[in-house]
Every structure is written in C-alpha cells, then in structure tokens.
C-alpha cells in the first residue's frame, strides 16, 4: 500500500477542523399526517424545490470501481492499484442506456468502500491517475450527463478501508450497531466504528474537490453516515449546503421498518434532504412530512435497489423478474417516491446486454418516454 501512498502527506493539504460538539437526539422519529403540510417551514430547501426533484421520478444508480474487478462489495482496501482495469471503458454508453431507458437522472459511485477514487484526486495516489486506464470517470460521467440531458449526481462512501487515518471502519468493528450507542465512562461502546478527525478532514477535502470540479449536481449522496457522528454530519451538511444551496444532500440509511410503519433514525442519517429506502419500495402511501428534533420537515423519499441482487457487477448475478421490477417501480410512482435503480457496468467498463434488455422491457411496460 505504501507504493500508492508515497505522497499522501504532502498531498493532504487540509487544515484541521475544530472539535465539533455532538448533538443529543432521539433514536427514531415518526412521520406526521399530511394535514400538517402548511406547518412545514424548517427545512433548508423550499418544498417547491423538493417537489421539482421528486418530478425526476426515475434514475440510474451506477456502482463501478475497484469492487467491479474484485467481485467483492466490501473489500479490505488493500487491493493493488492495477486491480482496477477496465478493458473497453465507455462512460457515454452508461448515460445513453439511462436515457434510452426513460431515466431522467443518474448517480455514480465516485468512491466506495475500497477507497479507490474514480477521479484524479489531489489527496491520494489511490485513484485513476495511477491506472493503465487513466480516464477521469467522474468527469466523463458528468460531461456525458449534461450532453445527453440526464441530471448527474455523485455518491461518496464514508466507509473507506484504504484511507483510514486511524479510524475504526465497520469491517473491522465487532459492533456495527454500537455506532448508535452514546458511550459513558462506565459503559463504553466497545468496538463501535468511528472516523477520526484526520479522516474527516480528508473526507471534507475530497468532497470540496468533487463539488468544485464537477458541480452543478442534482444530488450528492453520502453512504454509511452513521460512522461520522452527529457533529461531523451536521458540519459537512452545512458546509455543502452553504456552497451549493440548490443541490440536494442525501444521507443514506435513515429508514427502519417497525411493523407496517417507517421510522426515521436521525442518529444514523440526520441531517438530510431525502429519506433513502435501500432495497425497499413503499407498500402504502408515503407521507413526506416528518417531525425531527421537534421541527417539521418535508422529506421526500428515494427507493434505491439493484436490478439484480448485487450492487457491483458479478458475472452470475441475474436481473430480477420484470414483473417484480415494474411492481416496485409502480409502488414508487403511486407514492410519489423516486426510483433509483442500480445498473452496474461490467469489467469491460460497459453496461451489458443482460441489464439493457430488462431496462427496455421496463420502459415498454411502464410506457416511459425519453426526455429531451
């Protein structure tokens, strides 16, 4: 690993952040009735802007990167840099497929758990600039989205097994759920994952870098935000929203199903502009009005799920039955929830026919029109 991190100290030009306070909060909050819509005035973005995002309805999630070539979603971050080796990378094809499938927006994994960056970062050597294929995938993705009329969004994973900077990442923790526990002197949260201040500085610098280079974006997705802690989540949300006030900020994993009801876990994913429904589509009308920390918010939802079973390409993965995919999509449409369907490119760097065929079937059955 040292071979690919030789300049990390000199490249990490980040000023240490001030210590941030933690904010006490309840574990779960419940939605309030639709009759309270006129009382919603606390969120950063106006309801009209959030409804504009809801009108996008259908998007493509694109998981691509080091895990594509490892066949492992959550690797240990130690893979040699040249493991990432697409043979016929065609980012324009990804966007073209999304367009032809009737989608209106797309979200790309700029950095996932492996830590490998799909753009040339100033803060690490573990990125595409050191690969045989040096294409700035993030840059090409954003350019092609704008060229083809698709709204681009980016994903950044807080869990990074390559750049730990002294953090205890979830893969090495024996108590992932312990991240929701507030420790005391007598009962510390043993083994709970966490991120160090140095890692948070690194993450801040990379997010600044992505947004400065590739904005405007329709949304910026942060995965596994539970390990960031309440204070840093609030800090990074405020920092992003101040610089990019029209962009939605999405913190994943705020949803929990309790019986037939959804609850929101603010210790895992607050603040956020969107409630994510990972591998879940609404089974009954979704009420976007929530009371969080004694304030009411209009919180639209996004259902994200893979077209098959895996997030990244695996050769033996197969698409879900068309009737299942269209049923989940219809549930989202009926409940005014966006449907973000993951379609992973293969090791060549293109979306294969085994995904394109069901996408076109979905388009036909749902009578989708290509947007100009």
């Amino acid at each position: 690993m040292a071979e690919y991190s030789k300049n990390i100290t000199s490249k990490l030009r980040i000023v240490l952040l001030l210590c941030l306070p933690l904010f006490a909060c309840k574990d779960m909050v419940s939605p309030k009735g639709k009759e309270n819509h006129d009382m919603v005035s606390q969120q950063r973005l106006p309801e009209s802007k959030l409804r504009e995002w809801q009108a996008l309805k259908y998007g493509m999630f694109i998981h691509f990167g080091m895990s594509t070539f490892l066949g492992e979603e959550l690797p240990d971050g130690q893979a040699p840099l040249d493991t990432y080796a697409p043979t016929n990378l065609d980012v324009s094809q990804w966007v073209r497929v999304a367009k032809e499938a009737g989608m209106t927006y797309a979200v790309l994994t700029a950095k996932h758990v492996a830590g490998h960056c799909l753009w040339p970062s100033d803060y690490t050597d573990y990125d595409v600039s050191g690969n045989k294929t040096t294409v700035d995938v993030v840059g090409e993705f954003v350019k092609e989205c704008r060229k083809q009329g698709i709204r681009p969004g980016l994903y950044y994973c807080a869990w990074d097994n390559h750049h730990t900077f002294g953090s205890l990442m979830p893969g090495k923790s024996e108590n992932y759920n312990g991240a929701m526990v507030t420790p005391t002197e007598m009962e510390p949260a043993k083994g709970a994952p966490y991120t160090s201040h140095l890692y948070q500085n690194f993450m801040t610098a990379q997010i600044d870098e992505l947004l400065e280079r590739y904005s405007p974006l329709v949304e910026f997705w942060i995965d596994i935000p539970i390990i960031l802690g309440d204070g840093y989540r609030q800090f990074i949300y405020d920092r992003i929203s101040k610089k990019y006030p029209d962009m939605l900020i999405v913190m994943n994993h705020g949803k929990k199903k309790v019986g037939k009801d959804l609850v929101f876990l603010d210790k895992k994913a607050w603040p956020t502009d969107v409630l994510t429904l990972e591998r879940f589509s609404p089974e009954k009308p979704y009420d976007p009005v929530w009371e969080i920390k004694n304030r009411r918010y209009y919180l639209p939802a996004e259902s994200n799920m893979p077209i098959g079973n895996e997030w990244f390409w695996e050769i033996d993965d197969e698409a879900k039955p068309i009737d299942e995919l269209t049923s989940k999509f219809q549930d989202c449409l009926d409940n005014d929830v966006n449907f973000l369907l993951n379609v992973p490119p293969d090791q060549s760097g293109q979306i294969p026919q085994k995904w394109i065929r069901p996408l076109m079937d979905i388009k036909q059955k749902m009578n989708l029109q290509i947007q100009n």
Side-chain angles (χ1 to χ4, degrees):
M1 188 171 84
E3 179 181 352
Y4 309 113
S5 305
K6 56 184 180 298
N7 295 322
I8 189 64
T9 302
S10 61
K11 295 178 79 176
L12 190 57
R13 303 187 302 270
I14 312 169
V15 177
L16 291 175
L17 304 177
L18 295 175
C19 294
L20 300 169
L22 296 178
F23 298 90
C25 55
K26 297 178 181 179
D27 285 352
M28 301 186 294
V29 290
S30 301
K32 297 299 178 181
K34 293 181 182 296
E35 68 273 9
N36 294 316
H37 273 225
D38 60 346
M39 300 175 66
V40 178
S41 61
Q42 303 296 337
Q43 71 262 12
R44 171 181 66 89
L45 290 166
E47 186 174 326
S48 59
K49 181 69 177 178
L50 296 170
R51 288 186 178 277
E52 179 184 316
W53 175 84
Q54 286 178 286
L56 294 174
K57 297 186 182 301
Y58 187 29
M60 180 182 284
F61 217 172
I62 302 173
H63 278 64
F64 182 73
M66 190 65 79
S67 289
T68 304
F69 304 91
L70 291 169
E72 184 181 359
E73 180 187 347
L74 307 174
D76 64 7
Q78 304 308 305
L81 185 57
D82 61 5
T83 304
Y84 169 85
T87 56
N88 194 18
L89 181 65
D90 189 351
V91 179
S92 65
Q93 185 252 5
W94 307 350
V95 181
R96 185 168 64 253
V97 170
K99 176 94 170 177
E100 293 175 352
M103 295 168 168
T104 60
Y105 71 112
V107 179
L108 171 66
T109 56
K111 189 200 76 165
H112 205 265
V113 171
H116 181 254
C117 301
L118 291 180
W119 78 99
S121 176
D122 289 341
Y123 302 101
T124 181
D125 293 326
Y126 202 60
D127 63 21
V128 291
S129 67
N131 290 119
K132 183 176 181 180
T133 301
T134 60
V135 173
D136 177 354
V137 179
V138 174
E140 285 297 305
F141 166 75
V142 169
K143 181 184 75 174
E144 286 296 329
C145 281
R146 292 178 183 144
K147 180 180 177 181
Q148 299 189 45
I150 296 294
R151 301 283 295 277
L154 294 178
Y155 162 113
Y156 187 97
C157 192
W159 177 358
D160 182 336
N161 281 339
H162 186 84
H163 311 94
T164 61
F165 294 99
S167 305
L168 179 64
M169 293 295 178
K172 296 181 180 179
S173 171
E174 297 179 358
N175 183 18
Y176 179 72
N177 289 329
M180 291 185 67
V181 175
T182 301
T184 66
E185 184 179 8
M186 300 301 296
E187 296 180 325
K190 296 180 180 179
Y194 63 86
T195 48
S196 68
H197 281 299
L198 282 175
Y199 176 78
Q200 291 173 8
N201 294 342
F202 171 75
M203 179 170 166
T204 300
Q206 286 207 314
I207 288 176
D208 282 350
E209 183 177 58
L210 283 167
L211 295 177
E212 287 167 6
R213 291 185 188 178
Y214 305 114
S215 290
L217 303 170
V218 66
E219 66 184 60
F220 192 84
W221 237 81
I222 297 177
D223 203 3
I224 324 291
I226 185 174
I227 65 173
L228 300 174
D230 296 348
Y232 180 69
R233 275 200 312 273
Q234 186 70 56
F235 168 84
I236 197 65
Y237 178 91
D238 291 345
R239 184 180 181 90
I240 295 170
S241 61
K242 183 177 180 180
K243 292 184 175 183
Y244 306 93
D246 293 330
M247 182 181 68
L248 275 72
I249 302 166
V250 183
M251 299 279 185
N252 193 26
H253 290 310
K255 176 265 302 179
K256 183 177 181 179
K257 189 81 178 294
V258 177
K260 295 183 178 180
D261 297 324
L262 280 176
V263 295
F264 180 66
L265 305 173
D266 58 318
K267 277 193 174 182
K268 292 182 75 173
W270 185 255
T272 184
D273 298 322
V274 175
L275 174 63
T276 61
L277 307 177
E278 184 171 321
R279 293 185 182 268
F280 177 83
S281 58
E283 300 164 352
K284 64 178 186 177
Y286 172 73
D287 188 345
V289 178
W290 292 79
E291 186 174 297
I292 304 170
K293 298 179 182 290
N294 299 316
R295 294 186 176 186
R296 287 191 173 89
Y297 297 87
Y298 186 89
L299 202 63
E302 181 180 67
S303 171
N304 61 93
M305 64 183 64
I307 193 169
N309 186 59
E310 307 299 334
W311 292 108
F312 286 93
W313 165 261
E314 291 195 13
I315 194 167
D316 58 353
D317 195 18
E318 297 296 335
K320 294 180 175 69
I322 292 300
D323 288 347
E324 180 181 345
L325 288 167
T326 54
S327 175
K328 291 180 182 297
F329 190 4
Q330 190 62 54
D331 286 342
C332 290
L333 292 175
D334 290 344
N335 292 287
D336 210 12
V337 169
N338 284 20
F339 189 46
L340 186 63
L341 184 62
N342 185 67
V343 183
D346 62 20
Q347 292 182 349
S348 74
Q350 298 189 34
I351 294 175
Q353 282 297 319
K354 77 172 183 178
W355 303 144
I356 295 175
R357 285 191 295 270
L359 286 173
M360 296 307 120
D361 287 345
I362 293 170
K363 176 188 173 185
Q364 181 180 17
K365 288 181 178 293
M366 301 299 291
N367 194 28
L368 300 175
Q369 303 297 318
I370 297 178
Q371 303 294 314
N372 294 325

